[in-house]
Structure formats: structure tokens, C-alpha cells
Amino acid sequence: MKLLTENQIQAFKTFISKHDFFFIIGHKEPDGDCISSCLGMAALLKAYKKEYQLLSAGPFKRQEIRRFERSFTSTMTFLTQKERNVTGLIILDCSERSRLGDIDGSFDGLDTFIIDHHKTSVKSADENAIIDPTAPATACLVQMLHEQTAGPLDKTTARTLFFGMATDTGFFRFLTNDSAEVFRTTARLVEAGANPRITYDEITNGKPFNTRKLLGIMLDHAERYCNGKLIVTYETIEDTRKYGTDGRDSDSLYQLLLAIDGVEAVVFVRQETENSCTAGFRSKDKVDVSAIAASFGGGGHKNAAGMSVEGKLNTLIPEICKKFARIL
């Protein structure tokens, strides 16, 4: 992981100084890193005595983030044109406005700063940004910004940012041997009051019974491809209707399937509507699933990516397998 440069820090400080009010937002269907980095940014702005509004299109599907939902809204505070002229937009854990989802209001004309760590991130020429794919989580970038511009973190902020770090790294399982700086950074969160055991319980406990049943269905659907190097499974609309969307646990599914001998990548495809699907990709080591997701209009990290696309399971899964066959 790289440390923030002086130019990046100064660009952020300049952006903050130019505005009196800020909209803070992450991607739709937020995960732990998205939510915690937004809340961490709110704490940073509070230290600057700046006003802000936390926005999210939701939905807050993941059990571990539902306790944060009340801090967010999908309706922007009305501002006069004069007020909008001194308003900044901070986008976290995402770089594409199309991924922000449906928000009641307009971001048009707002000066924008992007903070993200996804490999497939992009920005326009007129947007300020800190985009670092070497960072394990956007929460880590927010932590460094807070420390470099506003000083040490309080206990609540440290616990929130640790939560984001833990969720996006699979509780540090996805880190490699070049992660010493990540652990040094995380250690400061623990020193400030983050509790790893409590955070682990927040992430892993409280799963509804129906998620265990659905997990069994998805394991039953799993099939091997590419000489056993790829496993693909899926969820039909009927599965969703029977078991619901409450507390889906795809992370456990990826963990179980990636542990199989010889498997290098796992794909989970869900039929969301009659004509659209979402898909999640996970891989080991050298397999870059972000490139495959990007070929369908999605994106993410080298070993964890996703997409939303028009199509049906019976035609989309063969297309995905063809892509993997070229690299496995």
C-alpha cells in the first residue's frame, strides 16, 4: 500500500477549504467499506467544522451495515444556487456517477472529489481524485486523510474505519506479503479504540436462518468449468422468492468454493429481474477478475469484482465461462 503524497493531501485540503457544505455519497447497494468510508469522511468534515449530508441510494441489504442506515438519506437537502456554488460533492468507494443510484436531487455542476481504491476506477478531467488500487479499502485512504489533515481519530471513528477495513479485506485474509504498511495503519485504529473481536462478531453474527438454507441451494447449483479451475453457481428468481433477500451471505459462499482443491476463480450470478442479472467474481492470486467484469460493464479489484447486466442465466453463464476459458 502506498502512503498519500503531499500533493494528494494538499489537493484535498484545498478542496475542503473552498466549500462550506458537502454531500457525501458512495455507490448503490453499499457494503461495509462504502458505508464506513462515508461515515469516516463525515467525521473528518466535522473536525473541520464543515456542514454535510450523508447520502445513499441503498438498499442496505447486508445485515452487518443495517445499523448505519438511519444515518443516510436518499433525498438531497434543497440548496439555492448561491449555496450550491459553495457546495462540494465527495464520492467514496466509487468513481462513476452511474453507480451512485437513484438520489432525489441533482449533482450537476457540483465541484467533485473522488476517493476510491478500485482498479477499474475512472474520473473525468475536471474531477479531483485520490484513486489508489494498492489500498486495501477506501476506509484506509480516509483514515490517512484524517490523520494527515485533522489529526488523531476518536474511538468511534476508529471503530467505524476498522469495520470498513475488515469487511473489504475478508478480515485481512485477502492481504499479501506486501501489506506491512496496511497492518501499521490498522494498528493505529486499534490503538485509538477499535476492537477486532467485536468487529468480527458484527460482521459474522446475526445471520437469518433462511440465508443458511439459500447457501445450501447455491452450493447445490455449483458446477465446475475450465478443468475444475472455475466454479459457477447461481440464484434464480424462484430462489429469491422462496428465501428472500434478507441478509444474503455470498461472502461465505465464495469462501467455501475457493477452498476447493484446484479452484482459481468463483462466479456467483443472480437473476435479479426477468431480463437482468448481477454477478460477483472472486479469485486467487494471479487471476484478474476485474478485467472480466469490466468486459461486461462492471469492475472492481483484481481478485474481487462485480457487474450488473441485461440478460438471463442460461445465456449469461456460458458467456462468462468463455471469458474465463481464455485465461484459465
Side-chain angles (χ1 to χ4, degrees), residues 248-305:
R248 283 170 169 166
D249 195 15
S250 54
D251 291 339
S252 294
L253 176 69
Y254 294 130
Q255 187 176 350
L256 287 168
L257 295 179
L258 280 173
I260 295 172
D261 185 35
V263 172
E264 297 183 22
V266 170
V267 178
F268 169 42
V269 188
R270 179 186 293 119
Q271 190 79 52
E272 297 285 358
T273 70
E274 291 294 339
N275 297 299
S276 67
C277 293
T278 57
F281 303 78
R282 297 294 185 273
S283 67
K284 295 178 181 177
D285 304 324
K286 298 179 181 180
V287 180
D288 186 355
V289 292
S290 70
I292 293 179
S295 71
F296 288 95
H301 310 287
K302 177 182 177 182
N303 299 121

Side-chain angles (χ1 to χ4, degrees), residues 301-316:
H301 310 287
K302 177 182 177 182
N303 299 121
M307 68 180 191
S308 179
V309 65
E310 296 297 312
K312 295 180 181 291
L313 292 172
N314 62 345
T315 56
L316 182 59

